[in-house]
Amino acid sequence: MPAYDDFICICPLFILQWEAMLAPKRQAVHGDRPIEVITMGRVGVDLYPAQTGVPIPEVTSFNKYLGGSPTNVAVAAARYGRRSAVVTKVGDDPFGTYVRRALAEFGVDDRFVGTDLDNPTPLTLCEVFPPDDFPLYFYRYPKAPDLNLEAAELDTEAIAAADVFWATVTGLCAEPSRSATLAALESSGPCRHTILDLDWRPMFWDSPDEAHQWVDRALDFADVAVGNRDEVEVAVGARDPREAAKRLRDKGVRLAIVKQGPEGVLAVDDSGEVELPPAPVEVVNGLGAGDAFGGALVHGLLSGLDTADIIARANAAGAIVAGRLACSSAMPTGAEVDAKLREAADAR
């Protein structure tokens, strides 16, 4: 293939068409209908061992899945019939092709998925030691394409027109993704809900203090924030769930959600607080539970449910996925969540 500079000399029009193809496409509709949910950030391919309870050196085969937390949330929302899309980038490689095909199969619009010509699509491997040990190994080198998202590539009109915009803290860990994430959050003002997933991954940051600085700025744009105890501690400097929720709400967050593991979930909004225990489950792989929780949270907010119902359904969705090996392909339907709620009620 000729070098890129050769194309510039030969056919400037072709260059414009090529660059337009690589950039996220500028439309705000899902088919002929507006997009309801736009998520932004991490994407990749999950390689999970087919054998559980053994370390990777002893694993003999792996299963391949679409991965990346905000991508999984978009998939989870689509399972409920929501029109969803993800803003991200993949590499110009077979794994990037797989990501696009998987998104289409799950009903997630890929028009905002760009291509990074210089970096490969990330891979994530894990070990599965139920019920609570699931080491992750991220291969996002030399740099993940989703961290090369630029503000100029955003369709800010589409973001503003969505009902929900979902961003994650990981998108703030490096430039140009940091500036793009903040620009997208700022553009999301007209959305019914702007949700910040406090998804803090220590391996992506130099220190918790560095993460805190940027999370604090991002919270200025969010009306919903969700995270576990470690994540809220980085965000607002408090590990106690109620104190953390208070500090989040003092920042302007309308609905603050703190996940407490086996102690359940605390949610605080203008009407008060809700604290619910986790739904019972025999854990197979806990890695996708938070993303399932997020998809159910989005669906519940758009359905106008009260906070207690939203959290109950999100807990049930998380439990369903924790009882399965995969993440994206394990996201439940509304009927499955209903069945899990009935099962949990019968077990009381």
Side-chain angles (χ1 to χ4, degrees), residues 265-316:
V265 176
L266 173 72
V268 183
D269 62 10
D270 293 342
S271 62
E273 74 170 49
V274 171
E275 188 170 25
L276 295 178
V281 63
E282 184 174 342
V283 175
V284 174
N285 182 359
L287 292 176
D291 302 334
F293 185 101
L297 169 63
V298 166
H299 179 58
L301 288 169
L302 292 180
S303 299
L305 302 181
D306 64 34
T307 300
D309 286 341
I310 291 173
I311 300 304
R313 297 186 68 82
N315 273 349

Side-chain angles (χ1 to χ4, degrees), residues 23-147:
K25 299 175 184 177
R26 311 273 182 182
Q27 295 181 354
V29 294
H30 188 288
D32 60 350
R33 300 175 297 170
I35 293 173
E36 295 175 285
V37 180
I38 295 180
T39 69
M40 179 176 177
R42 203 163 69 246
V43 73
V45 176
D46 290 342
L47 297 177
Y48 286 0
Q51 297 78 41
T52 63
V54 297
I56 281 181
E58 298 176 21
V59 171
T60 59
S61 59
F62 293 84
N63 297 310
K64 178 174 92 272
Y65 306 104
L66 177 67
S69 181
T71 303
N72 288 338
V73 171
V75 170
R79 290 285 209 199
Y80 297 105
R82 298 295 177 182
R83 299 181 296 279
S84 65
V86 60
V87 180
T88 191
K89 275 187 175 180
V90 296
D92 184 22
D93 54 31
F95 285 117
T97 301
Y98 167 74
V99 165
R100 293 180 186 277
R101 288 179 179 173
L103 288 170
E105 290 171 0
F106 286 125
V108 176
D109 201 305
D110 74 343
R111 70 189 65 209
F112 306 124
V113 180
T115 302
D116 183 334
L117 296 177
D118 299 319
N119 294 289
T121 304
L123 302 178
T124 302
L125 286 83
C126 77
E127 294 172 318
V128 180
F129 297 102
D132 58 3
D133 188 17
F134 308 100
L136 279 170
Y137 304 94
F138 292 98
Y139 292 84
R140 293 166 61 84
Y141 309 109
K143 186 179 184 181
D146 52 72
L147 292 179

Side-chain angles (χ1 to χ4, degrees), residues 74-282:
V75 170
R79 290 285 209 199
Y80 297 105
R82 298 295 177 182
R83 299 181 296 279
S84 65
V86 60
V87 180
T88 191
K89 275 187 175 180
V90 296
D92 184 22
D93 54 31
F95 285 117
T97 301
Y98 167 74
V99 165
R100 293 180 186 277
R101 288 179 179 173
L103 288 170
E105 290 171 0
F106 286 125
V108 176
D109 201 305
D110 74 343
R111 70 189 65 209
F112 306 124
V113 180
T115 302
D116 183 334
L117 296 177
D118 299 319
N119 294 289
T121 304
L123 302 178
T124 302
L125 286 83
C126 77
E127 294 172 318
V128 180
F129 297 102
D132 58 3
D133 188 17
F134 308 100
L136 279 170
Y137 304 94
F138 292 98
Y139 292 84
R140 293 166 61 84
Y141 309 109
K143 186 179 184 181
D146 52 72
L147 292 179
N148 271 340
L149 277 168
E150 298 187 16
E153 296 173 313
L154 299 174
D155 188 337
T156 54
E157 292 183 2
I159 292 170
D163 290 317
V164 170
F165 177 66
W166 176 289
T168 77
V169 163
T170 296
L172 300 169
C173 74
E175 292 289 3
S177 172
R178 177 184 299 143
S179 294
T181 300
L182 291 172
L185 284 165
E186 186 173 9
S187 299
S188 72
C191 298
R192 287 172 57 188
H193 305 285
T194 296
I195 304 174
L196 183 63
D197 181 355
L198 303 176
D199 170 50
W200 177 65
R201 305 278 180 164
M203 66 285 293
F204 299 153
W205 295 88
D206 290 336
S207 69
D209 289 341
E210 181 199 18
H212 170 77
Q213 171 189 351
W214 295 108
V215 177
D216 188 65
R217 286 188 58 179
L219 282 170
D220 290 339
F221 304 104
D223 66 289
V224 180
V226 55
N228 61 33
R229 285 175 168 170
D230 292 338
E231 292 164 342
V232 296
E233 184 175 22
V234 170
V236 293
R239 190 171 182 84
D240 176 77
R242 284 172 176 78
E243 178 61 25
K246 178 183 181 301
R247 294 188 188 186
L248 286 168
R249 285 182 44 80
D250 288 345
K251 284 285 296 179
V253 170
R254 180 183 58 80
L255 173 59
I257 300 172
V258 183
K259 302 174 187 176
Q260 306 172 80
E263 297 175 34
V265 176
L266 173 72
V268 183
D269 62 10
D270 293 342
S271 62
E273 74 170 49
V274 171
E275 188 170 25
L276 295 178
V281 63
E282 184 174 342

